Amino acid sequence: MSVETSDVRLERYDLSTAPFGAMVGIGRAALIVVPLILWELCSRFGLINGFLFPPPSMILYKLWVQSGPIGNPPYAIWWHVAYSMLRLLSGITLAVGIGTLIGVALGMSRRARLVFQPIISILMPVPTLAWTPVLLLLIGIDNRTTILVVFLAAVFEMIYIVASGIEMMNVKMLWVAQSMGATRWQIFWRVIIPGIFPYLITGTRLGTGYAWRALIAAEMLAASSYGLGFMIYDASEYMNMDVIYGGVMLIAVLGYVLENVLIGKIEAATTEKWGVLNER
Amino acid sequence: MSVDTARILPLRNGAGTNPKIVAKNIQKYFGNVLAMEDISCSINEREFVAIIGPSGCGKSTFLYLIAGFEKASHGELLINNVPITGPGPDRGIVFQEFVLFPWLTVLRNVTLGLDIKGVQRQEAEERARKWIRLTGLSGFEDAYPSTLSGGMKQRVAIARALTYDPEVLLLDEPFGALDVQTKNYMIQDLQNLWLEANRTIVMITHSVSEAVQLADRVLVLSSRPSRIIADVAIKLPHPRDLRDPLLRRHEDEITAILSAEVDKAMSLERQASAKAERRGS
Ligand SMILES: Nc1ncnc2c1ncn2[C@@H]1O[C@H](COP(=O)(O)OP(=O)(O)OP(=O)(O)O)[C@@H](O)[C@H]1O
Ligand SMILES: [Mg+2]
């Protein structure tokens, strides 16, 4: 791993070369803005069912009202987002921590790999939502259930990617540290963790994506008062279409911010600065 | 890299007579491929030993055995009369492929050995900067390895091994990626270091002139499975002039041994593959 790529990574940079880059930017924005305008107009002029498809401006207005003091409950959107984020971040933190430990253990030991590979391969494709009823029975409607769903959605990807990251690591890096007298602890923090960092980022990115989707679904089943999934579910009971669409938009935007902006920032500060390739 | 450090030092303190590293009948298999047949040698304290041999004969492997990264299949390998059981900070290595840490800047790569030891940041940086300067890397302290050329990476690897000051330096073709001029400076610096610091150095090289210029002894390995086919002592004062006829004699002698060995190995290999071809057709 850690392929040095100062000259290989062309396609990541050609986006920013103006004026081509500017055109791509305009195209990207247009693909989002134009359909929204069409939707707005069709809905306003009665070309489509205004109840099933309320105009985007109404949806945004609803989001605005619901985020303010006259929302029901006051500042509702903030609470829903905060609860979802809290669950997501707790679950992801657990998944990254535990997944990394297990992944490193598997990556370092051929025997452990032989023993655990099959069970992980069997569990990995199980949709996380399939666990939700079990967790509901075991734990009940509680934050712990949704956090566990997030954990399960992300942890297998994490284990898998970290273990393959270790396998790809140049064993001579460990040798260098050992010949400097490094302890196991120092080797773990100073060599293994930074050495698999590209894989950690990729695992976290993919895991966050899976977990975000699973969380929203799980909140529909297993949240009692807050969370974006709950908000949508609750709104569907009262046929509040604008809240439903608002929820979907928020989920999309937050998912994008999490996966690309937040993790992108970490990436820029680490692997991109070091000039090592991120596995994608 | 200071030219003026090339002082006229007639004879160094001289290699000690205490054996530092002793190899007895080392044999090394990779699976069922025999890489080393029988290596026995003794390297004294403060001795500079160069190892030379055909490509793929097991030179790097021998260094990894001394470093403790790999285990010999048979035989005994001692350091300070104690069997080598694993890597340790008494032996520093410069890999043929450098093996820098891409997430650390040049300075942090070089201080790593001291950081691991728990040496104060400031002292570690001071000692690192000395070697960064001597390897001609000043101004690149904050660069990441991915932005360096091959030769610069190699110099970082050399600086990294020298900074934490191990008793034994294991160098695997340490000048392989350098141009002749830079190499000459580095050779001089390595020589001065070793004259001052009294380290034991085992250096692998493909260059006979490099070997005779630097080493007290040159070990010539046969092609795989390897044995030691010559052990040439070079008893000339340092610094050595490559035009010195005595040095030239050693150079010619070793070159002759080496090319005879390569010729033999190549003709054997050709015969074997010709035989295999005949059998195949
Ligand atoms: N981990 C390994 N597994 C299997 N075979 C190996 C391994 N390491 C080395 N070998 C084999 O052992 C032999 C010696 O390898 P080594 O790298 O020590 O050669 P070398 O003398 O350093 O060659 P060069 O001069 O090209 O660097 C080679 O034939 C190589 O294929
Ligand atoms: Mg080699």
Side-chain angles (χ1 to χ4, degrees):
Chain A
M1 62 118 252
S2 336
V3 195
E4 284 170 14
T5 52
S6 22
D7 47 356
V8 189
R9 244 157 119 202
L10 297 173
E11 89 280 8
R12 293 207 86 198
Y13 292 110
D14 63 8
L15 274 185
S16 57
T17 51
F20 183 68
M23 274 169 59
V24 170
I26 292 169
R28 283 174 164 181
L31 268 177
I32 295 173
V33 173
V34 170
L36 281 177
I37 292 175
L38 283 178
W39 177 358
E40 177 83 29
L41 293 176
C42 291
S43 181
R44 292 263 174 206
F45 293 107
L47 295 177
I48 51 173
N49 185 331
F51 171 72
L52 284 180
F53 300 99
S57 56
M58 289 288 292
I59 297 169
L60 289 179
Y61 178 69
K62 185 73 173 195
L63 283 180
W64 174 255
V65 171
Q66 283 292 334
S67 345
I70 52 165
N72 174 35
Y75 305 104
I77 299 289
W78 294 106
W79 284 110
H80 289 305
V81 170
Y83 266 80
S84 288
M85 283 296 157
L86 183 79
R87 291 168 185 145
L88 183 81
L89 292 182
S90 325
I92 286 289
T93 309
L94 273 179
V96 169
I98 293 173
T100 303
L101 285 181
I102 298 178
V104 168
L106 290 190
M108 298 293 275
S109 154
R110 237 177 78 79
R111 207 169 305 150
R113 216 158 43 240
L114 287 177
V115 172
F116 287 100
Q117 195 100 56
I119 181 85
I120 290 173
S121 308
I122 286 173
L123 289 180
M124 212 162 128
V126 175
T128 317
L129 217 50
W131 300 110
T132 315
V134 183
L135 296 174
L136 270 176
L137 285 175
L138 286 176
I139 303 171
I141 294 190
D142 188 290
N143 280 335
R144 281 176 298 171
T145 304
T146 40
I147 289 172
L148 268 177
V149 167
V150 169
F151 170 76
L152 285 174
V155 76
F156 292 109
E157 192 65 40
M158 215 57 217
I159 293 174
Y160 188 81
I161 289 190
V162 167
S164 47
I166 296 268
E167 272 178 83
M168 299 295 288
M169 203 162 131
N170 183 354
V171 67
K172 285 176 188 167
M173 291 204 191
L174 300 180
W175 288 359
V176 169
Q178 283 173 342
S179 78
M180 291 171 168
T183 60
R184 277 164 178 272
W185 184 248
Q186 284 173 322
I187 287 178
F188 181 78
W189 285 110
R190 284 171 181 269
V191 182
I192 292 179
I193 293 296
I196 59 172
F197 217 82
Y199 294 84
L200 279 182
I201 289 181
T202 307
T204 309
R205 183 198 298 277
L206 292 175
T208 305
Y210 298 153
W212 184 233
R213 275 156 258 184
L215 171 67
I216 301 299
E219 281 177 342
M220 295 188 172
L221 300 174
S224 61
S225 50
Y226 284 109
L228 287 171
F230 172 81
M231 181 181 94
I232 292 178
Y233 183 76
D234 195 47
S236 76
E237 301 266 276
Y238 304 100
M239 306 236 261
N240 285 334
M241 295 310 287
D242 39 8
V243 174
I244 296 179
Y245 284 117
V248 171
M249 286 178 185
L250 272 178
I251 289 164
V253 170
L254 286 173
Y256 177 83
V257 169
L258 280 169
E259 271 191 60
N260 295 288
V261 181
L262 208 66
I263 296 179
K265 278 250 155 59
I266 300 176
E267 215 172 11
T270 55
T271 51
E272 253 169 57
K273 193 173 73 181
W274 306 336
V276 298
L277 183 70
N278 262 20
E279 293 298 314
R280 277 162 193 280
Chain B
M1 273 166 291
S2 39
V3 193
D4 55 331
T5 47
R7 288 156 297 156
I8 311 298
L9 281 166
L11 260 174
R12 47 191 285 269
N13 313 358
T17 44
N18 297 335
K20 184 84 183 169
I21 297 162
V22 178
K24 289 181 197 156
N25 307 105
I26 297 286
Q27 215 172 55
K28 177 70 183 170
Y29 281 92
F30 286 110
N32 43 23
V33 175
L34 182 59
M36 270 179 197
E37 188 170 274
D38 179 10
I39 302 259
S40 298
C41 65
S42 169
I43 295 169
N44 286 341
E45 237 165 37
R46 297 196 299 278
E47 198 168 26
F48 194 135
V49 171
I51 296 178
I52 202 161
S55 179
C57 73
K59 302 181 295 295
S60 297
T61 307
F62 186 50
L63 221 58
Y64 298 164
L65 290 174
I66 299 176
F69 304 142
E70 308 242 25
K71 298 257 171 302
S73 311
H74 294 285
E76 216 181 353
L77 195 53
L78 308 172
I79 182 163
N80 298 329
N81 281 320
V82 183
I84 292 172
T85 53
D90 52 341
R91 285 150 289 154
I93 187 157
V94 174
F95 284 101
Q96 202 170 352
E97 325 86 314
F98 328 135
V99 195
L100 303 179
F101 297 107
W103 56 88
L104 297 178
T105 59
V106 167
L107 182 63
R108 290 276 153 263
N109 261 290
V110 175
T111 56
L112 187 67
L114 298 175
D115 291 346
I116 281 174
K117 259 196 217 167
V119 173
Q120 291 277 315
R121 205 13 76 96
Q122 208 184 344
E123 192 199 330
E125 283 187 12
E126 225 164 83
R127 285 167 65 178
R129 278 180 207 285
K130 172 184 157 199
W131 285 109
I132 287 176
R133 189 162 35 79
L134 286 177
T135 49
L137 289 165
S138 297
F140 289 93
E141 287 89 345
D142 297 323
Y144 284 91
S146 62
T147 63
L148 303 181
S149 74
M152 291 163 87
K153 285 180 198 168
Q154 186 151 46
R155 285 181 271 154
V156 177
I158 294 172
R160 180 174 67 185
L162 294 176
T163 297
Y164 75 97
D165 205 15
E167 290 165 33
V168 179
L169 271 172
L170 306 170
L171 312 174
D172 198 346
E173 296 182 36
F175 311 124
L178 303 183
D179 61 279
V180 182
Q181 282 75 24
T182 313
K183 186 171 107 172
N184 286 340
Y185 279 118
M186 298 280 301
I187 285 180
Q188 239 165 43
D189 286 326
L190 185 62
Q191 212 163 12
N192 290 333
L193 156 85
W194 166 72
L195 291 169
E196 282 167 26
N198 285 320
R199 297 298 171 218
T200 308
I201 300 183
V202 182
M203 180 183 81
I204 290 172
T205 175
H206 275 294
S207 152
V208 180
S209 70
E210 210 175 285
V212 294
Q213 196 182 356
L214 280 166
D216 291 322
R217 260 166 74 203
V218 181
L219 302 181
V220 185
L221 297 193
S222 72
S223 54
R224 207 191 55 180
S226 46
R227 289 164 293 105
I228 293 177
I229 49 173
D231 182 342
V232 182
I234 316 252
K235 293 196 176 108
L236 294 171
H238 289 276
R240 294 175 183 159
D241 184 351
L242 268 178
R243 286 161 306 189
D244 180 346
L246 285 171
L247 204 66
R248 293 295 275 274
R249 265 215 345 245
H250 282 303
E251 191 176 344
D252 294 343
E253 175 193 6
I254 293 167
T255 308
I257 298 171
L258 202 57
S259 41
E261 178 61 26
V262 173
D263 285 347
K264 201 174 75 192
M266 289 303 258
S267 67
L268 276 177
E269 209 158 278
R270 297 237 166 101
Q271 269 172 24
S273 64
K275 223 186 258 171
E277 230 164 71
R278 249 178 285 138
R279 231 182 294 140
S281 62

